[in-house]
Amino acid sequence: MFEKLTEDALAAALEALPGWVLRENKLHRVLTFVDFVEAFGFMTQVALVAERMNHHPEWCNVYKTVAISLTTHDADGLTDKDIELAQAINRLAGYPV
Ligand SMILES: C[C@H](O)[C@H](O)[C@H]1CNC2=NC(N)=NC(=O)C2=N1
């Protein structure tokens, strides 16, 4: 079982996560791609990583935009797993981690 992050740990982690904000107690990021194929290709890559991690995003795709929220349902809050998945998503999206 994963422990909820402390406020300090979360603030430090967020500083190292370009593009991510805290929204409704979840990590949140919106990504826009050149078209639907790029957006869905990205989602497919994230899905494979998420399944490998057994940690799954809440997300919404409208055409070329993908909005992602991360939380750990089992812990009812944010944990290291959310930070890890956000970092993996940034790598796949082509942003430095
Ligand atoms: C039974 C299974 O391992 C759990 O339900 C996993 C699956 N994926 C998950 N994903 C997320 N985001 N949070 C969880 O708590 C979680 N739990």
Side-chain angles (χ1 to χ4, degrees), residues 33-81:
F33 296 86
V34 295
D35 57 21
F36 175 73
V37 170
E38 290 293 323
F40 201 79
F42 164 79
M43 291 177 82
T44 305
Q45 287 181 288
V46 172
L48 294 173
V49 171
E51 183 59 14
R52 212 182 308 135
M53 288 176 64
N54 191 32
H55 197 65
H56 302 90
E58 298 173 18
W59 55 8
C60 171
N61 163 235
V62 179
Y63 178 38
K64 59 183 181 176
T65 297
V66 182
I68 307 172
S69 289
L70 302 179
T71 187
T72 302
H73 303 105
D74 295 341
D76 193 27
L78 289 165
T79 67
D80 281 336
K81 278 219 160 188

Side-chain angles (χ1 to χ4, degrees), residues 75-90:
D76 193 27
L78 289 165
T79 67
D80 281 336
K81 278 219 160 188
D82 299 301
I83 305 301
E84 219 181 290
L85 184 54
Q87 285 170 340
I89 287 171
N90 274 13

